[in-house]
Amino acid sequence: YPLGLISMYERMIGLSATLGVMEEQAYLKDKLATEAFVLPPYRPSQCLPLTLKLYKNQAAHFKRILKEINKVSSDEPPGSMPVLIIEEDSNYVKALYDFLIKNKKEPWRLQCVLGTETESEKKKILLQAEQPNTITLCTTLFSRGLDLRPAHPEGLYVMMACLKDKETVLQSLGRAGRFGQKGKSRLILDAQRYGLEEAATKSTAQKQQVIETLQQIISENKSVERYYTQEAALIRAGALS
């Protein structure tokens, strides 16, 4: 947040795609007397959120992602609903890309965004990502604020392949079902990557509880980091006033 800028004005009105967690909202209210409210979308999402999946290692994780892709595959018009796979680590994106390029079936088209593309290349990738029979792999950074309008009547299938705080996960999976369209979303994780091998053997409800606990820890760590960043901004603003 540009706290120094906010403190220069008596009143400001801002628009945000995410208001932040309750702790962050409380901090801003205490420091700057801000008020936050939610404006419901004109067209509610029709996205179908699917059950969390947790697999014991990378190999099983990749196989499940491929299985999910095959489940929405169709040879009949209008083809398969486009798939967007979101991952935070570019090396993991590359590994998944290599796996899918070897194992995907026709008529799927696979494309990958690593952050090194030109603006022109990104535009082409985004246009293709809306088309049937297309699998797009990208990082969490690239997916932020991504507005795809899939041409397929069933919308977009978004899979998130990494564990982040709850707010980030919701924002990422929210790429599906936008503008009142249909869609599907699912969080699919590699248990070994996060030290959750034991949790992978538990029931769905127990897996969900473990993931939510980890997300809370991630969110708290993120809030602490943001707190010190904001405090530093306030000190700088005070020194310059």
Side-chain angles (χ1 to χ4, degrees), residues 57-111:
N57 54 38
Q58 186 184 86
H61 183 221
F62 284 4
K63 286 179 182 178
R64 180 63 198 204
I65 290 174
L66 179 62
K67 184 176 180 179
E68 289 296 311
I69 292 170
N70 289 335
K71 282 166 66 174
V72 298
S73 182
S74 175
D75 294 327
E76 302 295 326
S80 309
M81 65 189 300
V83 175
L84 176 67
I85 304 173
I86 301 171
E87 161 58 46
E88 64 176 333
D89 188 330
S90 59
N91 290 324
Y92 211 87
V93 171
K94 290 177 185 177
L96 180 56
Y97 178 88
D98 291 340
F99 171 81
L100 292 177
I101 203 72
K102 293 177 183 177
N103 295 281
K104 72 176 181 67
K105 299 177 181 178
E106 295 295 336
W108 285 107
R109 174 174 178 172
L110 182 62
Q111 56 179 5

Side-chain angles (χ1 to χ4, degrees), residues 179-198:
F179 311 108
Q181 293 184 311
K182 292 182 179 180
K184 293 181 181 180
S185 64
R186 173 168 265 160
L187 180 62
I188 303 181
L189 300 173
D190 170 2
Q192 189 177 56
R193 182 181 180 186
Y194 300 103
L196 299 174
E197 293 93 329
E198 186 177 345

Side-chain angles (χ1 to χ4, degrees), residues 7-28:
S7 61
M8 289 172 58
Y9 296 90
E10 184 176 337
R11 178 171 179 156
M12 288 184 69
I13 298 175
L15 182 65
S16 173
T18 52
L19 293 177
V21 296
M22 295 303 296
E23 293 81 4
E24 291 169 332
Q25 292 183 40
Y27 171 85
L28 290 173

